[in-house]
Amino acid sequence: MDEARDSDNSFDVVVVGGGAAGLAGALTLVRARRSVLVIDSGSPRNAPAAHMHGYLGQDGESPAALLARGRAEVTGYGGEVRPGTALAADRLPDGGFLVHCGDGRTVRALRLLIATGLVDELPAVPGLGARWGRDVLHCPYCHGWEVRDQPVAVLADGPLAVHQAQLWRQWSERTTLLAHTWPLTAGDRELLAALGVRVVEGEVTGLAVQDDRLTGVTLAGGTVVECRALVVAPRFTARSGVLTSLGLPTVVVERDGSAIGTCVESDPATGATVLDGVWVAGNVTSPQEKVPGTAAQGVRAAMAVNADLIEAESRRALRTLRARADA
């Protein structure tokens, strides 16, 4: 631990990513009396959403407010949070790491906790990005209650479409599946008919918006299909730059034999990667996890990091003791 505190730019642990996973991990580590730096790019995945739901004690809270409180808690215990982007990292001869930041600065760390999250890559329909997290949605557990009983349309452009229609019907019986570009099987159509989900043929070419509210989607022929929420299945692409710079590859995440994104594999209990000294937490390793789950992963990973540092310190203490005894 003393080695990591030789300069203001050296830390026991550098946490890359200032979302729920990274801050929860950092808070656990600073309370364990570790020197911790959080490098926060300020671009959390859920930034477009005004509220988050399903987080016990925090339901309806603004994601931005949660992260602001988290940063204050980390710094209140002596941790440091710096705005910036970590671009890459190198393994040092002593087993630690040198992290290269976008502003040209470098920082040293004995251990790394990477919680950089992912990027939601949206289907190629004009207008989706501007309404993402507002009335263009993907998770019913996050947003379903807010659009309950309203007309909901599911965009079929991948293997999750029928599954999404099944899910969203739980919140609204006025659920329509837009066939768009995905070929539905006879079995798909039979299931949707049994559930009362209407299927509309035709490619979606745009959104209909009035008074800054989604009112429907426009099909290639000009027909407008009414909806108050449009459900899409983004591709979940891991923000893995620092990890790949260390030689940790991403793997393809599949659903029903089709790729839905990428992630970095880790031990599900601790977040440990195959590279000694590097842990991951949150959506970078678990693409479909919600905010409470990512925070829990950050805590578990931080506990594992601290345990690993304790083991290393104990080995050093034993070597020192034995060296003195042999002198």
Side-chain angles (χ1 to χ4, degrees):
M1 184 161 54
D2 292 339
E3 292 176 8
R5 292 177 176 167
D6 284 344
S7 76
D8 292 338
N9 234 27
S10 295
F11 301 85
D12 292 333
V13 186
V14 168
V15 179
V16 182
L23 290 174
L27 180 61
T28 302
L29 287 161
V30 291
R31 284 179 50 82
R33 309 191 72 178
R34 296 296 179 185
S35 62
V36 178
L37 169 67
V38 179
I39 302 175
D40 182 12
S41 68
S43 55
R45 178 190 181 192
N46 60 359
H51 306 95
M52 61 181 187
H53 296 284
Y55 198 157
L56 186 63
Q58 304 288 342
D59 188 74
E61 179 63 279
S62 157
L66 176 74
L67 297 184
R69 283 202 305 274
R71 290 190 292 269
E73 290 169 354
V74 170
T75 56
Y77 283 102
E80 184 176 348
V81 180
R82 291 183 192 171
T85 302
L87 300 178
D90 297 321
R91 171 77 80 177
L92 297 173
D94 63 3
F97 301 90
L98 187 67
V99 180
H100 301 269
C101 300
D103 61 3
R105 292 194 293 180
T106 58
V107 293
R108 291 173 57 95
L110 296 181
R111 303 292 186 269
L112 294 178
L113 173 53
I114 309 298
T116 42
L118 60 79
V119 175
D120 293 297
E121 297 181 359
L122 301 178
V125 174
L128 290 190
R131 309 209 65 80
W132 177 237
R134 300 169 63 193
D135 38 33
V136 173
L137 312 169
H138 86 285
C139 174
Y141 298 102
C142 302
H143 303 286
W145 177 263
E146 284 63 48
V147 296
R148 65 193 184 281
D149 299 326
Q150 298 182 43
V152 173
V154 177
L155 184 73
D157 77 330
L160 294 181
V162 174
H163 172 68
Q164 285 184 305
Q166 289 175 272
L167 273 177
W168 281 85
R169 179 185 172 277
Q170 174 70 21
W171 283 263
S172 177
E173 293 184 354
R174 302 166 68 187
T175 297
T176 298
L177 187 134
L178 306 166
H180 191 50
T181 59
W182 189 253
L184 299 174
T185 67
D188 292 336
R189 293 178 184 275
E190 182 183 30
L191 174 61
L192 294 169
L195 295 174
V197 175
R198 182 170 65 121
V199 175
V200 173
E201 307 294 340
E203 185 174 347
V204 175
T205 57
L207 308 183
V209 178
Q210 185 174 357
D211 297 328
D212 198 29
R213 289 177 60 87
L214 181 69
T215 58
V217 298
T218 304
L219 304 181
T223 301
V224 175
V225 180
E226 180 190 12
C227 65
R228 296 296 179 271
L230 176 62
V231 177
V232 303
R235 178 178 172 84
F236 306 128
T237 301
R239 291 173 171 158
S240 59
V242 173
L243 294 164
T244 55
S245 74
L246 289 167
L248 285 168
T250 59
V251 298
V252 175
V253 179
E254 293 188 348
R255 176 69 181 261
D256 298 332
S258 297
I260 63 170
T262 60
C263 75
V264 174
E265 292 184 318
S266 66
D267 180 88
T270 66
T273 70
V274 295
L275 186 63
D276 288 344
V278 181
W279 283 258
V280 291
N283 288 148
V284 71
T285 188
S286 184
Q288 294 178 295
E289 190 63 82
K290 293 181 59 184
V291 175
T294 63
Q297 288 181 352
V299 172
R300 290 196 298 269
M303 293 168 62
V305 171
N306 188 54
D308 187 66
L309 285 168
I310 288 173
E311 285 297 318
E313 291 157 6
S314 299
R315 289 192 297 270
R316 285 201 301 273
L318 279 173
R319 286 197 299 270
T320 299
L321 178 66
R322 291 165 180 170
R324 289 172 179 167
D326 291 340

